[in-house]
Amino acid sequence: MSDPTDRNAVLAATFERIASDLRDGSATVYGYDVRLEPRPRERGGVSYTEGWLSFELVGPAERE
């Protein structure tokens, strides 16, 4: 993919590179805040060959 102009394409290409680095072991995932209540949530980052990606994963709220 050379010179992507669409933002979605740029993000997809970046995530693909990060996934590739994770698969081959050249990237490291760091979780620095994990909570289970009131819903599952993890914040962290990925150190990969081109830099750093911060993330926040939030699970669905439990139904009562």
Side-chain angles (χ1 to χ4, degrees):
M1 185 172 152
S2 62
D3 194 24
T5 57
D6 177 62
R7 185 68 187 136
N8 290 337
V10 171
L11 285 172
T14 300
F15 293 149
E16 288 168 5
R17 285 191 301 275
I18 294 168
S20 176
D21 285 356
L22 285 167
R23 278 191 294 274
D24 72 17
S26 61
T28 303
V29 176
Y30 297 92
Y32 59 85
D33 185 22
V34 178
R35 297 179 189 179
L36 299 176
E37 299 294 334
R39 60 175 48 181
R41 176 181 303 235
E42 179 177 356
R43 285 186 281 183
V46 177
S47 174
Y48 67 107
T49 56
E50 296 178 31
W52 178 264
L53 169 76
S54 295
F55 64 83
E56 182 172 13
L57 304 172
V58 179
E62 292 229 6
R63 296 185 180 171
E64 294 184 28

